Amino acid sequence: MVIGFDYGTANCSVAIEREGQFQQLPIAGSDKLLPSMISAPIRSVVSEWLYRHHGVSYQTPEETALLQQALRTNRDEDLPVSAQSVQFGLSALSQYIADPQDVWFVKSPKSFLGAKGLKPQQIAFFDDVVCAMMLHIRQQAEQHTQTPIEQAVIGRPVNFQGTGGEEANQQAIGILRRAALRAGFRDVEFQFEPVAAGLEYESQLTCETRVLVVDIGGGTTDCSLLLMGPEWRDKAQRSESLLAHSGCRVGGNDLDIMLAYKQLMPLLGAGSPSRSGKALPLLPWWNAVAINDVMAQGDFYSPSSAQQLQQLVKEAQHPELVTRLLTLWREKQSYQIVRSAEQAKIDLSVQDETCCPLDYLENGLTHHLTATIFREAIESPLQKMLQQVVEVMQQATTAPQVIYLTGGSARSPLLRHALEQLLPNTPIIQGDDFGSVTLGLTRWANTLFR
């Protein structure tokens, strides 16, 4: 069987074609979206779980070395690895929140795949993380299809997160391809996520239309100007229909991180003065919330960071604030504080103000936020997102007739209003924010593999 597979930064989903209808499959209980989260007692458990419970192969020198090290570590830690040792989605989040100190947890693994400077064994580990998630999702999907799923078209952004340019993109694609093949897929192809979203919209068109697809995902913002319509439908070669495209490594996660940094971290001492009157260094506070940056998180949770934070508490004019940052370090609560910001973002998409509870840092600690404060906090990443539209319009020789807006972060009134100001006379169609890409990938999969 053939599927479209959106391995997303925020959520994962898959879809199939059945009797001419395209539909997403439940992969998290009855839910069609699996939040992109994974947890285990420690990270080495993932490799042994794949090997022992799912028969995943370890063939290259890097893979073999990773597995051997994992087996030794788990044995030394006296950790039995069961079929339930690795959790996904909200189950992973619950496991982490219940015991953040003693649970290995990663949100949005896709964010790290294009990271610059990864060593071969680090890449092998990310192969395992992605493989574990893909294998779990394929198995969940097969429970509903009752048919083996062996062919997939996987979505990809125009540019993955990372600073390595095309080399970073190829690194990320390599990880996704290897992971999918090891997870049991026989044939794997890729399609740009904004193009896939456009393919879903194209199914509704009755004549050729110039469509600007704006796909604002969890980790990236991608824009494509496409010729779409009945005459293009079902064609396996679509290069002539792609008029321009652009993408940046900024998405909904960056809005959450920036809101956390600008509005929540001052409650933990960010921007406060030292006893001498000088400003405390801001890097520890940024590293604390930069959950999509491997190096930043590694620096923040290093042993030397604890010593630095203890020293900052002594030097601070308001040590009670910086003590909260030390608590966050000790309890490994970076993901929790960014998730608090994410929930505030979601609330402020439908209301003018919200209250952000931070009880896990200190009993009774809360912070009041308004839509105006939210807009000010996210101004920098918002402008980077809009710049992608500007770049597409500069590449193209013609203007779009319609904007198709989709992606998990596309619901924000701020983003829609900014687009309306940028292209004031172009109608905006709101897509299925959490389904357009997946359904479009499925249409493309059925075109390629039929």
Side-chain angles (χ1 to χ4, degrees):
M1 178 167 276
V2 174
I3 63 168
F5 194 154
D6 183 9
Y7 182 75
T9 305
N11 296 287
C12 300
S13 68
V14 299
I16 61 169
E17 182 271 333
R18 182 174 283 163
E19 297 180 356
Q21 299 296 314
F22 293 83
Q23 55 188 268
Q24 289 174 269
L25 296 175
I27 55 172
S30 60
D31 293 333
K32 298 174 183 177
L33 299 175
L34 178 76
S36 299
M37 305 173 188
I38 181 173
S39 70
I42 57 176
R43 56 180 279 176
S44 57
V45 164
V46 175
S47 300
E48 184 172 348
W49 181 83
L50 285 170
Y51 173 73
R52 195 172 300 284
H53 293 284
H54 299 282
V56 172
S57 64
Y58 286 77
Q59 297 179 345
T60 69
E62 291 80 14
E63 291 170 355
T64 302
L66 177 67
L67 177 61
Q68 291 175 343
Q69 182 181 7
L71 293 173
R72 285 195 300 270
T73 300
N74 297 337
R75 184 177 62 248
D76 292 344
E77 294 289 335
D78 195 24
L79 273 174
V81 177
S82 72
Q84 285 71 47
S85 290
V86 180
Q87 296 290 315
F88 305 91
L90 294 180
S91 295
L93 179 64
S94 297
Q95 190 179 62
Y96 162 69
I97 289 176
D99 193 2
Q101 279 188 297
D102 293 320
V103 171
W104 173 84
F105 174 81
V106 172
K107 178 184 178 183
S108 308
K110 187 178 177 181
S111 300
F112 304 112
L113 306 188
K116 194 173 182 179
L118 292 182
K119 298 176 181 178
Q121 198 156 346
Q122 288 177 302
I123 291 175
F125 178 67
F126 280 118
D127 284 355
D128 275 7
V129 171
V130 178
C131 177
M133 292 193 70
M134 288 186 167
L135 185 146
H136 173 76
I137 291 166
R138 182 178 66 80
Q139 290 177 338
Q140 295 301 303
E142 286 180 344
Q143 288 184 15
H144 294 274
T145 63
Q146 293 297 301
T147 304
I149 297 172
E150 296 182 331
Q151 295 176 305
V153 170
I154 301 173
R156 59 151 294 183
V158 175
N159 289 303
F160 286 84
Q161 285 185 299
T163 58
E166 188 53 28
E167 184 178 346
N169 289 337
Q170 292 307 310
Q171 174 181 287
I173 287 291
I175 292 172
L176 289 173
R177 185 182 298 281
R178 288 189 300 273
L181 294 173
R182 294 174 71 216
F185 293 100
R186 186 183 75 247
D187 298 316
V188 176
E189 297 292 341
F190 294 90
Q191 177 59 277
F192 288 121
E193 288 159 0
V195 173
L199 293 174
E200 175 59 16
Y201 177 56
E202 184 180 55
S203 66
Q204 309 168 31
L205 296 175
T206 57
C207 62
E208 186 175 81
T209 306
R210 294 186 303 277
V211 182
L212 175 62
V213 180
V214 181
D215 177 18
I216 305 173
T220 58
T221 295
D222 294 303
C223 300
S224 293
L225 183 60
L226 301 152
L227 282 176
M228 315 214 84
E231 55 268 63
W232 293 100
R233 210 171 291 152
D234 300 326
K235 286 188 176 181
Q237 295 296 327
R238 296 286 303 251
S239 58
E240 292 182 4
S241 71
L242 179 58
L243 304 179
H245 68 192
S246 180
C248 71
R249 303 162 183 90
V250 176
N253 285 356
D254 297 274
L255 303 182
D256 306 336
I257 289 168
M258 191 58 71
L259 182 60
Y261 179 66
K262 292 281 190 178
Q263 283 297 314
L264 303 185
M265 296 312 277
L267 301 175
L268 283 69
S272 63
S274 66
R275 294 183 185 278
S276 66
K278 294 181 179 179
L280 296 172
L282 287 172
L283 188 59
W285 283 269
W286 174 254
N287 285 346
V289 296
I291 61 172
N292 57 359
D293 186 325
V294 177
M295 302 302 180
Q297 287 283 281
D299 287 347
F300 181 69
Y301 285 106
S302 66
S304 60
S305 179
Q307 298 172 0
Q308 181 189 18
L309 296 181
Q310 290 166 350
Q311 186 62 34
L312 288 174
V313 170
K314 295 177 182 178
E315 295 175 359
Q317 270 191 33
H318 305 287
E320 72 282 2
L321 299 183
V322 184
T323 297
R324 293 171 181 166
L325 182 65
L326 187 59
T327 298
L328 183 143
W329 180 92
R330 188 179 298 115
E331 299 296 330
K332 297 184 179 178
Q333 293 169 326
S334 289
Y335 287 100
Q336 280 180 273
I337 199 164
V338 174
R339 186 166 176 80
S340 296
E342 179 186 18
Q343 185 58 54
K345 177 190 73 174
I346 293 169
D347 293 344
L348 293 172
S349 294
V350 294
Q351 60 198 51
D352 291 333
E353 56 186 58
T354 190
C355 190
C356 188
L358 301 167
D359 309 75
Y360 50 87
L361 289 172
E362 184 179 294
N363 286 337
L365 182 63
T366 62
H367 188 57
H368 181 259
L369 291 166
T370 66
T372 300
I373 289 172
F374 173 53
R375 170 61 193 254
E376 292 171 352
I378 68 165
E379 182 64 23
S380 177
L382 177 61
Q383 289 305 315
K384 291 178 182 177
M385 292 174 172
L386 295 176
Q387 182 60 32
Q388 305 317 301
V389 178
V390 173
E391 289 185 14
V392 164
M393 300 311 300
Q394 290 173 343
Q395 291 177 35
T397 58
T398 185
Q401 295 168 285
V402 65
I403 299 170
Y404 185 64
L405 180 60
T406 188
S409 298
R411 294 182 176 185
S412 170
L414 293 175
L415 294 167
R416 189 182 182 96
H417 179 64
L419 273 177
E420 289 172 341
Q421 289 185 312
L422 197 59
L423 296 168
N425 299 315
T426 309
I428 298 177
I429 304 296
Q430 191 80 38
D432 180 343
D433 296 332
F434 297 103
S436 296
V437 170
T438 314
L439 295 170
L441 291 169
T442 309
R443 291 180 183 277
W444 190 242
N446 279 270
T447 297
L448 289 183
F449 295 128
R450 64 185 174 186

